[in-house]
Amino acid sequence: MERIAETLKALSDPTRLRIVSLLRHGELCVCDLTEALQTPQSKVSRHLAFLKNAGWVRARRSGKWVYYQILDSEPSLQASIAQALTMHIAKHPVCLEDDRRYFDYLATKSSRACD
């Protein structure tokens, strides 16, 4: 029961909810999340580490960059909640604005930006 409580506690922060919402678009680099959230890289990385430790996301390193995605490939509490959660929070005005900034950033992002 304690592990479930800790897992759910990871979603108790607005920035982490915004990150989960953005990750519904697929695997994203920290730089993508930083641009979309308009938040310093150190803060985004700290929240991603919290989500990773709680089992919400997985990380993949490529060069100096780390890419994250929602951990949903196996039946789990996180996968079930993440699927339902992203459908609901994606409609929140803050998340809609994050999406707009993310897609604006993608439109101008160099193909080598995260290399």
Side-chain angles (χ1 to χ4, degrees):
M1 196 57 73
E2 291 297 320
R3 177 68 181 144
I4 293 171
E6 288 300 315
T7 298
L8 294 173
K9 191 185 303 183
L11 298 177
S12 67
D13 181 88
T15 301
R16 290 192 289 271
L17 286 173
R18 291 169 65 195
I19 290 170
V20 169
S21 177
L22 284 164
L23 289 174
R24 79 185 186 286
H25 298 300
E27 185 181 64
L28 299 179
C29 178
V30 173
C31 64
D32 299 329
L33 293 165
T34 299
E35 285 294 323
L37 298 170
Q38 295 292 286
T39 303
Q41 182 270 328
S42 59
K43 183 176 180 182
V44 171
S45 292
R46 188 175 68 247
H47 284 294
L48 285 164
F50 199 101
L51 288 167
K52 183 180 174 196
N53 290 336
W56 287 101
V57 300
R58 76 170 128 242
R60 175 182 66 83
R61 181 171 292 281
S62 179
K64 68 177 184 172
W65 296 102
V66 180
Y67 294 83
Y68 290 87
Q69 68 184 93
I70 294 175
L71 185 62
D72 64 358
S73 62
E74 58 189 63
S76 68
L77 174 64
Q78 288 92 331
S80 300
I81 292 172
Q83 184 177 22
L85 184 65
T86 57
M87 288 185 335
H88 293 285
I89 63 173
K91 298 172 188 164
H92 190 281
V94 171
C95 292
L96 291 172
E97 182 63 19
D98 290 342
D99 286 348
R100 184 197 59 74
R101 278 192 304 271
Y102 170 66
F103 288 114
D104 286 350
Y105 170 69
L106 277 185
T108 61
K109 178 180 172 183
S110 164
S111 63
R112 300 191 42 82
C114 297
D115 289 339

